[in-house]
Amino acid sequence: MLVFRDISTLQNHLRNLKNNNKIIGFVPTMGALHKGHLSLVNKSISQNDSTVVSIFINPTQFNNVDDLKTYPSDINKDLELLRSISDKIIVFNPESDELYSGDIKPDQFNFNELDRYMEGEFRGNHFAGVATVVSKLFSLIKADYAYFGEKDFQQLRIIENLIKEKKFKIKLIRCETIRSEDGLALSSRNNKLNFSSKKIATNLFKALNFAKEKIDVLCIDEIQQKISDNLSNFKEIELEYFVVADEKNLKPIKHKQAEKCRAFIAAYISGIRLIDNLKLY
Ligand code: AMP
């Protein structure tokens, strides 16, 4: 398996592949890989001649220094996992200086209001940081397809919008959320939870399912209230938001509409912030 740490050798290698008309898939990650990430990698492998996986903890998307410092990381384990899938994967694992020359700060973007609510509201500048690093990676890798998880649905919509606005010649492939048997969405941050907190965290998925069950019989305010009341019974859970929003423009809705919608949730479980979402219809 090839592991590149600098841009120029990666680009030399990719140029060769492109000259041979190879189709390239790209999976951006921050490492601490789990089966959710691997499902994206496997999808890319099945649909492309070559797959590039980037592993880079992007400092500009963290709005909290401690969160960045304590973000789980184990590059050797990640490489072992990727190698176990295919030794043909191309890994890009740069240092910060390689991607950010000079100041480590996000660029400015117009996300057409997709960043107005939910993560955009509670994590200032988070999406500008994400879009900054994703733009850099898209520009230097020039892949044909990029794989993003629905686990981070708002991020996925923002990147779809970015591709359109910046006219990147790449197509985003949406990948479904991978969950553990009890419904907890896999996340690198789950590594920070102990056994009992992981169990309690399954209440987020239960809340989303409750919304899906009740969307035809209760109004959205009532659903929100019942979820908030129920979660307040757990001292380990601090709900940040529960929102039902239009799937396309991500605007919160108060009444059922004809267009597709999703429920979104963010909460601290024993001090660890988790997010999840579910399509309602
Ligand atoms: P991250 O390393 O958290 O930045 O995630 C990298 C990519 O993996 C993003 O496109 C995520 O949406 C995706 N991803 C993370 N967790 C999951 C999951 N449980 N199921 C599917 N995709 C996921």
Side-chain angles (χ1 to χ4, degrees):
M1 191 170 71
L2 290 168
V3 182
F4 295 99
R5 298 224 148 79
D6 68 284
I7 293 171
S8 59
T9 43
L10 171 73
Q11 284 184 317
N12 279 341
H13 184 74
L14 294 177
R15 212 167 290 126
N16 260 332
L17 294 175
K18 292 240 156 220
N19 288 341
N20 287 297
N21 297 321
K22 301 291 185 202
I23 306 296
I24 297 171
F26 172 44
V27 184
T29 82
M30 297 208 297
L33 301 181
H34 50 66
K35 286 187 181 147
H37 296 115
L38 300 187
S39 73
L40 274 55
V41 176
N42 277 320
K43 199 164 193 175
S44 173
I45 290 174
S46 72
Q47 297 180 344
N48 297 281
D49 298 313
S50 291
T51 289
V52 179
V53 178
S54 66
I55 299 177
F56 177 65
I57 301 178
N58 173 38
T60 61
Q61 72 187 69
F62 287 81
N63 53 328
N64 174 321
V65 182
D66 271 350
D67 190 25
L68 171 61
K69 274 195 201 144
T70 60
Y71 195 83
S73 157
D74 188 341
I75 185 69
N76 291 328
K77 194 168 156 215
D78 288 348
L79 296 179
E80 214 172 282
L81 266 176
L82 292 174
R83 208 175 277 119
S84 73
I85 296 183
S86 161
D87 63 2
K88 290 204 181 106
I89 293 169
I90 299 161
V91 179
F92 182 45
N93 175 221
E95 294 287 340
S96 255
D97 297 352
E98 192 66 15
L99 286 181
Y100 291 92
S101 48
D103 280 358
I104 300 185
K105 61 175 191 343
D107 301 329
Q108 304 258 318
F109 295 87
N110 174 6
F111 295 125
N112 295 322
E113 302 234 316
L114 291 168
D115 64 333
R116 180 141 173 212
Y117 302 101
M118 304 176 296
E119 292 305 278
E121 183 179 346
F122 286 92
R123 298 186 72 191
N125 250 3
H126 167 68
F127 287 123
V130 171
T132 301
V133 78
V134 169
S135 300
K136 286 177 190 288
L137 292 166
F138 280 179
S139 301
L140 69 94
I141 293 170
K142 295 191 170 55
D144 301 281
Y145 296 93
Y147 295 77
F148 282 82
E150 291 183 343
K151 157 75 171 50
D152 301 282
F153 194 82
Q154 192 173 13
Q155 166 175 282
L156 176 154
R157 283 290 302 119
I158 279 178
I159 302 300
E160 284 176 340
N161 177 72
L162 179 80
I163 291 172
K164 206 168 148 195
E165 292 282 319
K166 302 272 178 199
K167 300 187 170 56
F168 283 114
K169 289 198 191 79
I170 194 165
K171 186 171 181 332
L172 186 147
I173 308 290
R174 295 181 174 194
C175 303
E176 67 174 345
T177 302
I178 305 298
R179 302 177 179 280
S180 60
E181 261 174 36
D182 53 15
L184 177 63
L186 299 189
S187 161
S188 304
R189 286 196 164 84
N190 295 352
N191 289 340
K192 295 179 166 192
L193 298 173
N194 64 23
F195 182 76
S196 83
S197 297
K198 266 190 199 154
K199 240 181 129 121
I200 285 164
T202 61
N203 284 292
L204 303 192
F205 186 53
K206 284 185 192 147
L208 295 171
N209 274 306
F210 174 80
K212 191 175 168 114
E213 266 169 38
K214 300 293 181 195
I215 189 73
D216 286 329
V217 287
L218 295 178
C219 63
I220 291 173
D221 273 346
E222 276 176 295
I223 293 176
Q224 248 164 353
Q225 193 57 52
K226 282 185 190 295
I227 285 173
S228 162
D229 289 348
N230 178 259
L231 294 180
S232 69
N233 290 321
F234 298 88
K235 66 177 185 330
E236 299 85 351
I237 302 183
E238 193 193 318
L239 180 64
E240 194 163 63
Y241 63 76
F242 170 84
V243 168
V244 175
D246 180 281
E247 184 163 285
K248 204 160 175 220
N249 63 27
L250 301 185
K251 290 216 174 16
I253 56 168
K254 283 284 168 212
H255 302 285
K256 229 188 136 193
Q257 56 174 29
E259 294 80 17
K260 290 176 186 172
C261 69
R262 268 182 190 255
F264 296 81
I265 195 164
Y268 287 88
I269 311 291
S270 309
I272 305 303
R273 190 174 185 280
L274 300 183
I275 59 169
D276 199 355
N277 69 87
L278 189 69
K279 188 180 170 100
L280 299 187
Y281 58 85

